[in-house]
Amino acid sequence: MSDAPLPDPADARLPGRRLAAARAARGLTITEIALRLKFAPRQIEALEADRYDALAGPAFVRGMIRAYSKLVGEDADALIAALRASPLTAAGPTVTGPRAIGVAIPRRPRRGSMVYVVLSALVVIAVAGVVGEWLLRPVAPPKSAATRLALPTQPLGVAPVPAPAAAPAAPAAPRAAADVAPAAAPGPVETVVNARRIELDFDRESWVEIRDAEGRVVFSQLNRPGTRREVEGVAPFSIVIGNAHGVKLRYNDSDVDLMPYTRTDVARLTLK
Amino acid sequence: MLGFLRAYFSDDLAIDLGTANTLIYVRGKGIVLDEPSVVAIRQEGGPNAKRTIQAVGKEAKQMLGKAPGNITVIRPMKDGVIADFTVTEQMLKQFIKKVHVSRLLSPSPRIIICVPCGSTQVERRAIRESAIGAGASQVYLIEEPMAAAIGADLPVAEATGSMVVDVGGGTTEVGVISLGGMVYAGSVRVGGDKFDEAIINYIRRNYGMLIGESTAEMIKKEIGSAFPGSEVREIEVKGRNLAEGIPRSFTISSNEVLEALTEPLNQIVSAVKSALEQTPPELGADIASKGMVITGGGALLRDLDRLLMEETGLPVIVAEDPLTCVVRGSGKALEKMDKLGSIFTNE
């Protein structure tokens, strides 16, 4: 507004000039008007001089003109129209929010929730590690094959087992294996499968149970007289034969005499 | 993000849901509705007995005090807040239907609605929900002094104190605004309705005559004043004589009306003084220099500005077109709704 051209002092159309003239006609002073309207005399002087930039703003200038015109008996609407037509009128304030830099303050997460975030991340990482490990682990060969690979080559034949008791025979087997192992260890691991065949001929009714090297029962049943059975598996075998007098045993095409292992008609022996 | 699409298709509305009048501003069109907040409801009899809306707005107001037994004329707003939720919702729905053209592609309007600054959360929620029930997609609330200040072209966003006194139908709101926010907000449940009530009571007490609300309002508009002036005016009024029980006419003067209005006017003066007492001194200095601005229908009461001037010793200015200040301010806020988050109130 300060850039606007100065008003012509003789321009009687301006609202301030008209109000001043009306006041003078009524014989009132600026001080009396200021007292009635509760404005400061300098504000009344500014209004009469049409120096609107010295006043609070367009809305207030219009309000002052209305109040002043009512006091001196002027037509307020005509004065407001003259004000709007004058080049000194500035546009009213535009509706804006207060001026701001416009940087949004980030919402800081609370410490408590941060702890939960960290803990959750750790749990997720741990679970991901376990799952990855499980998915990426090398596929292990079947256990039986591994066993077979680990077994050293055994000479064919029946290992002599102390005759009197079958009970000591069981501990004897691991010992024998232990004896063999150091011998085999220096050399390359042999991949020959240690499979053996047992043939049984029954003259009398007999019950037979055969366990293989891993202790699994590979054969267990009651056999009728005159029958023949063949069993294959991984040596050494642990064998129990009932009614042993009526049974002939062949191991890898060699006859095995059951008499030394028989006690009260039950033979217990280990075949290597 | 799709605000420009919504602005293109939807006519958003700003509503001054006042105790006496409801005004609606449509984006891009200006004030399109100004009707009294009155609803006439007809109670039907017979086998299909139901309540139907007979009229709303001006038509309903003409029925006020003249309706037969089966028509109830209700003013659903009282003291600036909702007194009858269902009827308010129906009234809003009817008003919105008048101004909002329902097209196939047009979404439900977003609505800015004014609330008294002294209203409780429950009262604000009731206003919000009645607007949603009337078809709004979203409702934003703005406090009346803020809307009135924007409507009166006050520099609300600047670092200077602006004081606005909005004398409405049910409440008088006093607000001190600076930097786009309310520094002080006060509200007294005194307004145009209380003025009418005071005139009715005065005439009954002093003349033994009973007059209706419409007559009291007419007396207030014709000869009511808030400050004794040199000119004394008179008006002839007709009412029912309480002793005889028959209609009589009598004459009442402006000085008598002033006497009748003394009590509610004193409450308004007290509210303004209380606001000035609690205003920070820097802002008080701004107000002392620029003056306070009166808006609302009550500002049309003769010499109310003079009364406040004499009582406070501060300059007082009556806003231009004070009746529509609040809705014009809400309309200005509506035009820039997406950028003016700070002026709306949260619940």
Side-chain angles (χ1 to χ4, degrees):
Chain A
M1 203 181 281
S2 56
D3 296 337
L6 286 171
D8 179 3
D11 192 349
R13 289 169 301 171
L14 289 171
R17 304 287 187 279
R18 287 166 67 176
L19 287 170
R23 173 180 61 76
R26 288 177 167 253
L28 294 167
T29 63
I30 286 180
T31 315
E32 284 169 327
I33 296 290
L35 270 175
R36 289 288 296 274
L37 295 182
K38 312 296 177 193
F39 282 103
R42 61 174 172 78
Q43 289 173 301
I44 302 294
E45 281 169 10
L47 180 68
E48 288 190 354
D50 292 302
R51 285 187 287 109
Y52 305 131
D53 54 341
L55 300 172
F60 292 99
V61 171
R62 290 195 296 272
M64 280 180 80
I65 289 175
R66 264 195 303 276
Y68 196 161
S69 58
K70 201 165 86 175
L71 197 65
V72 295
E74 279 284 309
D75 180 7
D77 292 337
L79 289 176
I80 298 288
L83 176 74
R84 288 188 198 282
S86 84
L88 307 173
T89 310
T94 51
V95 186
T96 53
R99 286 176 209 93
I101 300 170
V103 179
I105 298 171
R107 289 185 184 177
R108 186 171 298 210
R110 286 175 299 166
R111 196 180 166 195
S113 61
M114 202 60 203
V115 168
Y116 287 118
V117 167
V118 169
L119 284 178
S120 306
L122 288 176
V123 169
V124 168
I125 289 168
V127 169
V130 169
V131 170
E133 175 90 22
W134 184 72
L135 288 175
L136 297 175
R137 74 192 161 93
V139 179
K143 199 173 180 184
S144 57
T147 311
R148 266 182 252 133
L149 287 172
L151 284 171
T153 312
Q154 295 279 326
L156 295 181
V158 179
V161 178
R175 204 186 311 135
D179 292 340
V180 173
V189 175
E190 295 190 31
T191 56
V192 179
V193 176
N194 197 15
R196 300 285 187 272
R197 191 175 59 171
I198 300 167
E199 295 166 37
L200 294 159
D201 289 310
F202 299 97
D203 295 335
R204 293 160 68 178
E205 191 174 62
S206 170
W207 180 84
V208 176
E209 184 186 273
I210 302 173
R211 289 175 185 270
D212 69 0
E214 295 179 0
R216 286 181 305 198
V217 177
V218 294
F219 184 82
S220 171
Q221 69 176 60
L222 187 67
N223 302 283
R224 298 217 167 254
T227 58
R228 180 187 170 84
R229 293 278 183 269
E230 287 186 9
V231 176
E232 288 191 348
V234 182
F237 295 101
S238 170
I239 303 172
V240 180
I241 302 172
N243 218 358
H245 294 292
V247 181
K248 285 180 186 156
L249 173 67
R250 284 172 69 79
Y251 183 54
N252 285 346
D253 301 327
S254 308
D255 289 332
V256 178
D257 185 9
L258 294 176
M259 285 307 291
Y261 312 108
T262 305
R263 218 173 169 188
T264 61
D265 225 17
V266 175
R268 295 173 194 276
L269 70 159
T270 299
L271 297 176
K272 289 191 176 178
Chain B
M1 196 171 70
L2 297 175
F4 68 98
L5 274 179
R6 176 182 279 279
Y8 184 76
F9 283 113
S10 170
D11 296 329
D12 293 337
L13 308 174
I15 300 179
D16 174 13
L17 183 60
T19 311
N21 294 295
T22 297
L23 292 93
I24 299 184
Y25 179 106
V26 178
R27 187 205 285 268
K29 293 182 188 168
I31 300 169
V32 293
L33 183 132
D34 179 2
E35 300 248 10
S37 306
V38 186
V39 183
I41 294 170
R42 176 191 286 275
Q43 176 71 57
E44 293 179 1
N48 297 320
K50 58 182 178 184
R51 293 172 84 206
T52 52
I53 292 176
Q54 177 77 14
V56 290
K58 290 186 185 104
E59 264 184 81
K61 195 181 181 187
Q62 284 171 359
M63 300 180 188
L64 207 60
K66 298 175 184 174
N70 65 334
I71 294 178
T72 320
V73 184
I74 296 174
R75 298 182 63 184
M77 303 290 293
K78 190 169 166 52
D79 297 338
V81 294
I82 291 176
D84 188 326
F85 185 85
T86 317
V87 176
T88 305
E89 192 179 307
Q90 289 303 318
M91 181 181 78
L92 262 184
K93 200 178 267 184
Q94 295 302 319
F95 286 153
I96 290 172
K97 211 163 100 182
K98 279 187 186 179
V99 301
H100 186 257
V101 184
S102 181
R103 292 189 299 263
L104 188 67
L105 278 175
S106 69
S108 302
R110 291 183 296 176
I111 291 181
I112 292 181
I113 200 158
C114 305
V115 289
C117 57
S119 55
T120 63
Q121 279 202 353
V122 176
E123 290 162 344
R124 289 176 187 207
R125 196 181 177 101
I127 288 175
R128 184 189 289 272
E129 292 196 353
S130 72
I132 287 173
S137 63
Q138 281 170 315
V139 179
Y140 302 95
L141 302 181
I142 182 170
E143 288 183 328
E144 275 171 15
M146 175 61 85
I150 295 172
D153 279 342
L154 302 189
V156 291
E158 292 173 16
T160 174
S162 301
M163 184 168 181
V164 65
V165 182
D166 179 47
V167 186
T171 59
T172 293
E173 316 271 324
V174 186
V176 177
I177 295 157
S178 176
L179 286 168
M182 304 275 294
V183 179
Y184 171 86
S187 177
V188 282
R189 299 202 167 186
V190 176
D193 288 352
K194 281 285 192 304
F195 294 160
D196 297 345
E197 209 176 285
I199 291 171
I200 292 171
N201 290 339
Y202 180 87
I203 290 173
R204 191 174 57 208
R205 203 167 50 240
N206 293 285
Y207 286 85
M209 303 281 284
L210 197 61
I211 58 166
E213 281 176 33
S214 304
T215 309
E217 192 182 354
M218 185 266 291
I219 295 171
K220 177 183 73 181
K221 284 180 178 172
E222 292 291 326
I223 62 166
S225 75
F227 197 78
S230 52
E231 185 190 4
V232 177
R233 280 164 300 161
E234 293 186 336
I235 191 171
E236 188 178 309
V237 180
K238 294 181 179 66
R240 175 156 57 90
N241 190 303
L242 285 168
E244 299 173 13
I246 51 173
R248 294 276 183 218
S249 69
F250 61 98
T251 304
I252 186 167
S253 73
S254 57
N255 281 342
E256 289 173 300
V257 177
L258 173 62
E259 195 185 341
L261 296 178
T262 306
E263 196 193 328
L265 286 171
N266 282 342
Q267 289 185 46
I268 292 175
V269 170
S270 299
V272 171
K273 283 183 175 173
S274 168
L276 288 168
E277 278 169 16
Q278 294 178 54
T279 301
E282 289 293 337
L283 299 179
D286 292 337
I287 294 163
S289 166
K290 294 189 302 186
M292 68 184 85
V293 177
I294 328 178
T295 65
L300 296 173
L301 184 68
R302 194 164 292 109
D303 287 337
L304 180 63
D305 54 339
R306 187 83 195 282
L307 173 73
L308 290 174
M309 248 187 252
E310 297 298 331
E311 290 286 346
T312 60
L314 299 178
V316 178
I317 289 167
V318 179
E320 282 174 284
D321 197 3
L323 265 173
T324 61
C325 260
V326 170
V327 76
R328 278 189 287 123
S330 307
K332 284 183 183 175
L334 179 74
E335 301 285 355
K336 296 189 175 177
M337 183 156 68
D338 300 324
K339 294 175 186 167
L340 289 174
S342 66
I343 64 167
F344 298 110
T345 177
N346 296 319
E347 199 58 48

